[in-house]
């Protein structure tokens, strides 16, 4: 269904470009925005514009940041001997939330995915290799345990081998709180492979 | 999970105010916007700002429009003798899509809902009564067949009675393509009540 107002149509069109937002949801959002105050709509619009003005990628680790280098790369309490390699900036947030990890990060900006035309040159792999000097003792490869994530981990491990650094991969196994009965076979065999002495 | 960047946090906060958007979806949208070009983000932001600048309510029928009165109220091919009363501007779009209706509209801006504190003065009811003159022959009450919609229809019918105008209500019954077996009893009894000679 189309609206007589071109402005409404354009807002619906722009909103439905967002991931997971179809025309129906975009319509709901537009009708919501037509009802709220002008200040609220402007605050939303400005916050989106600011994303592109203020937020950039850290020139060292490619995490999102407002200052370059980012607070993690410059953090005095962070251990410089360990780098955790992740796919996206959200992964950094998830890992930081655990409060367990005190090293540095390196955000690849995606995973190798030949079907989508994403090769090594499209990820920040060269920049990772450039970071590996004598001060680095361990590199944790924390890409997702998906097909692409595993392939990327394997590729990185091969590339990093000559650097004489400890290369580790995050453990894959049964999630805490989950049930063995419902775990898929691949996860279960990974959990067996990765078993530890108690 | 919280981001180190305040700008990112603010964009997530603003986006999650939209109906049906939680923090997780807002995060996805923000990460999507961080990846696309500045032009695309600005186009989205501008389209939202324009909503408040360009789109207003028609002073006659309260439909959303960019020119006042709206194209339907000023349309030369529209019959001025019949007014269809609906809850929201989206309903106008839905009815227009049928291509069946050639009269005018009146958008109430909601329904009577004492629990939400919405009374007759919060809807464009006075403005509807002011529109009913000798040229109007029929008023179709097309509020939703919900409890509030039915109550509002009943209230309007009572108010409009003294005006000596034909008052009709859209038919409630089995939707086309649906199955009698799965229809609820209220819909089924309405369908029986509203039966027509074939």
């Amino acid at each position: 269904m189309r609206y007589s107002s071109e402005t409404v149509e354009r807002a619906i069109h722009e909103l439905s470009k967002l991931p997971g937002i179809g025309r129906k949801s975009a319509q709901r959002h537009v009708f919501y925005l037509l009802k709220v105050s002008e200040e609220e709509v402007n605050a939303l619009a400005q916050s989106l514009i600011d994303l592109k003005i203020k937020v950039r990628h850290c020139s060292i680790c490619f995490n999102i940041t407002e200052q370059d280098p980012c607070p993690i790369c410059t953090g005095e309490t962070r251990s410089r001997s360990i780098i955790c390699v992740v796919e996206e900036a959200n992964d950094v947030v998830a890992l930081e939330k655990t409060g367990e990890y005190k090293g540095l990060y390196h955000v690849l900006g995606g995973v190798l995915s030949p079907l989508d035309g994403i090769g090594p040159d499209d990820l920040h792999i060269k920049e990772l290799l450039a970071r590996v000097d004598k001060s680095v003792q361990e590199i944790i490869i924390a890409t997702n345990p998906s097909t692409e994530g595993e392939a990327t981990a394997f590729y990185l491990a091969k590339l990093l081998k000559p650097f004489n650094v400890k290369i580790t991969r995050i453990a894959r196994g049964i999630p805490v709180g989950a049930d063995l009965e419902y775990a898929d076979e691949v996860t279960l065999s990974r959990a067996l492979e990765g078993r530890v002495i108690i």
Side-chain angles (χ1 to χ4, degrees), chain A residues 3-74:
Chain A
Y3 291 85
S4 49
S5 157
E6 217 173 279
T7 311
V8 170
E9 270 302 327
R10 197 156 56 81
I12 292 173
H13 174 73
E14 290 293 337
L15 278 170
S16 54
K17 286 183 186 169
L18 292 173
I21 300 229
R23 207 182 141 80
K24 273 271 169 193
S25 319
Q27 272 173 25
R28 275 179 70 203
H29 299 333
V30 166
F31 274 92
Y32 166 81
L33 292 171
L34 283 170
K35 283 201 168 186
V36 301
S37 73
E38 192 169 340
E39 285 72 41
E40 279 192 66
V41 177
N42 288 348
L44 167 62
Q46 193 58 49
S47 76
L48 302 183
I49 292 169
D50 281 351
L51 279 182
K52 291 313 242 197
I53 297 174
K54 294 189 187 163
V55 181
R56 65 203 75 197
H57 292 283
C58 171
S59 57
I60 300 173
C61 73
F62 297 95
N63 188 11
I64 51 165
T65 179
E66 285 185 49
Q67 65 211 66
D68 188 17
C70 77
I72 294 177
C73 285
T74 55

Side-chain angles (χ1 to χ4, degrees), chain A residues 87-88 108-113 118-119 123 143-144 146 148-150 152:
Chain A
E87 290 179 20
E88 300 285 358
L108 291 174
V111 271
L112 295 175
S113 178
I118 299 171
L123 307 177
T143 52
N144 287 324
S146 60
E148 290 89 357
E150 294 287 4
T152 309

Side-chain angles (χ1 to χ4, degrees), chain A residues 68-97:
Chain A
D68 188 17
C70 77
I72 294 177
C73 285
T74 55
E76 294 198 351
T77 58
R78 315 288 310 204
S79 157
R80 257 135 242 297
S81 62
I82 179 164
I83 297 175
C84 180
V85 181
V86 294
E87 290 179 20
E88 300 285 358
N90 338 16
D91 301 326
V92 174
V93 185
L95 284 162
E96 281 298 286
K97 215 178 133 199

Side-chain angles (χ1 to χ4, degrees), chain A residues 42-197:
Chain A
N42 288 348
L44 167 62
Q46 193 58 49
S47 76
L48 302 183
I49 292 169
D50 281 351
L51 279 182
K52 291 313 242 197
I53 297 174
K54 294 189 187 163
V55 181
R56 65 203 75 197
H57 292 283
C58 171
S59 57
I60 300 173
C61 73
F62 297 95
N63 188 11
I64 51 165
T65 179
E66 285 185 49
Q67 65 211 66
D68 188 17
C70 77
I72 294 177
C73 285
T74 55
E76 294 198 351
T77 58
R78 315 288 310 204
S79 157
R80 257 135 242 297
S81 62
I82 179 164
I83 297 175
C84 180
V85 181
V86 294
E87 290 179 20
E88 300 285 358
N90 338 16
D91 301 326
V92 174
V93 185
L95 284 162
E96 281 298 286
K97 215 178 133 199
T98 67
E100 293 279 331
Y101 181 67
K102 292 292 171 216
L104 304 178
Y105 290 96
H106 191 86
V107 179
L108 291 174
V111 271
L112 295 175
S113 178
L115 285 176
D116 301 315
I118 299 171
D121 292 339
D122 301 308
L123 307 177
H124 301 299
I125 292 179
K126 267 195 299 282
E127 293 89 341
L128 172 65
L129 301 181
R131 286 179 73 183
V132 186
D133 55 21
K134 272 179 191 159
S135 65
V136 179
Q137 285 163 14
E138 181 177 352
I139 294 175
I140 306 175
I141 304 178
T143 52
N144 287 324
S146 60
T147 318
E148 290 89 357
E150 294 287 4
T152 309
F154 188 76
Y155 178 84
L156 287 178
K158 227 175 71 181
L159 273 187
L160 289 166
K161 208 147 207 182
F163 286 88
N164 200 22
V165 62
K166 189 171 152 195
I167 304 160
T168 55
R169 177 93 176 98
I170 47 159
R172 284 138 303 177
I174 313 291
V176 178
D179 210 315
L180 242 76
E181 192 181 343
Y182 301 113
D184 64 289
E185 301 106 79
V186 184
T187 301
L188 215 50
S189 54
R190 290 304 172 106
L192 279 173
E193 270 168 44
R195 66 191 181 277
V196 286
I197 297 164

